[in-house]
Amino acid sequence: MTLPIITIDGPSGVGKGTLAQWVACKTGFHFLDSGAIYRALAYGVLAEELSVDSVAEITDLAQQLPVRFLATSVFYAEQDITAQIRTEAVAAIASQVAAIAQVREALLARQRAFAQLPGLVADGRDMGTVVFPEAPLKLYLTASAEIRAQRRVKQLKNQGIDANIPQIIQDIVARDERDATRKTAPLVAAQDAVMIDTTELSIEAVCQQTESLLWEKGFLS
Ligand code: C5P
């Protein structure tokens, strides 16, 4: 039996996380926020004061990354890092270490271990192309950089983090460029992914569209 896996990929601030959590709730499936793993690694790189060029040391850290998920919280060893890993500074380092092929390889098994019954919703950049290429439903979300920056600013403000739109647009564009042009597992839609442009859509509309797909593919009955 193939395990029911739904992958949701796309660039930063496109609404993947919100949609993925909604789908996980709707289906009762497990949830993998793969970006949080790369962010936890970035946190570790900063905490251990490693240089982003130290491929061997970062790969070692990735192999034994002491990250744990507990409900909606992320822990690094015993420390709750849920809020710390959401900053743009951590995101920028995450995107740099995520470009290292050995690091991605080291994190593959850890991500695949989330695939357990009754099923999995996996959110990231390469969920449908590399980590779970056999997934029966793959979504790829897109939206203009401006709208993604606006959403990110709102999200950061809700978390009490001050941010301005031009700076965030710049950060998002740089991060997407790095994610899309890296050699290993670049940000790209799987050939069999359903594309959803969320620029003009509310999150409710995206969920509604996704719900139809869930029924169509037999994830809901
Ligand atoms: O999704 P999120 O913004 O939390 O991801 C942070 C960074 O982690 C991304 O910019 C990307 O470089 C990296 N990432 C990745 N592959 C994934 C998930 C995240 O390369 N599957």
Side-chain angles (χ1 to χ4, degrees):
M1 193 191 81
T2 6
L3 198 84
I5 298 176
I6 300 164
T7 59
I8 305 180
D9 289 305
S12 323
V14 79
K16 298 184 305 280
T18 312
L19 179 65
Q21 285 181 40
W22 180 85
V23 174
C25 226
K26 192 87 192 161
T27 52
F29 289 0
H30 298 283
F31 171 52
L32 165 61
D33 173 3
S34 61
I37 299 181
Y38 287 96
R39 284 173 184 262
L41 177 61
Y43 174 88
V45 166
L46 290 169
E48 311 273 342
E49 297 183 0
L50 301 179
S51 149
V52 286
D53 302 320
S54 315
V55 173
E57 283 174 306
I58 298 174
T59 306
D60 273 355
L61 181 60
Q63 266 154 0
Q64 316 150 26
L65 193 67
V67 66
R68 264 184 323 123
F69 294 91
L70 214 61
T72 53
S73 300
V74 186
F75 286 82
Y76 188 93
E78 294 313 309
Q79 199 187 341
D80 186 341
I81 56 164
T82 316
Q84 280 109 304
I85 60 168
R86 292 296 150 199
T87 64
E88 287 301 303
V90 168
I93 304 281
S95 154
Q96 289 175 58
V97 297
I100 305 171
Q102 296 93 314
V103 163
R104 303 199 72 86
E105 178 66 33
L107 294 174
L108 261 185
R110 184 186 286 262
Q111 294 173 83
R112 289 186 177 142
F114 279 79
Q116 287 180 17
L117 284 170
L120 178 69
V121 182
D123 152 0
R125 304 291 187 291
D126 60 342
M127 298 295 101
T129 48
V130 175
V131 184
F132 303 111
E134 74 294 354
L137 177 58
K138 299 176 185 178
L139 304 181
Y140 190 89
L141 306 191
T142 59
S144 71
E146 288 73 19
I147 210 84
R148 290 188 288 117
Q150 281 171 21
R151 289 176 188 159
R152 185 63 98 194
V153 167
K154 202 167 147 195
Q155 211 175 43
L156 291 171
K157 286 204 167 138
N158 284 342
Q159 293 161 10
I161 302 170
D162 218 12
N164 73 70
I165 293 181
Q167 180 62 52
I168 296 281
I169 292 188
Q170 216 178 320
D171 291 351
I172 278 184
V173 169
R175 196 138 58 92
D176 291 347
E177 170 78 9
R178 196 182 300 121
D179 291 348
T181 55
R182 69 184 172 215
K183 286 204 183 80
T184 314
L187 168 65
V188 65
Q191 280 190 345
D192 51 349
V194 177
M195 309 288 289
I196 304 179
D197 184 344
T198 72
T199 308
E200 310 262 324
L201 296 178
S202 65
I203 183 65
E204 290 78 15
V206 179
C207 291
Q208 216 170 35
Q209 208 166 314
T210 305
E211 186 170 359
S212 308
L213 290 166
L214 294 176
W215 282 103
E216 210 176 283
K217 294 274 184 182
F219 287 104
L220 298 175
S221 53

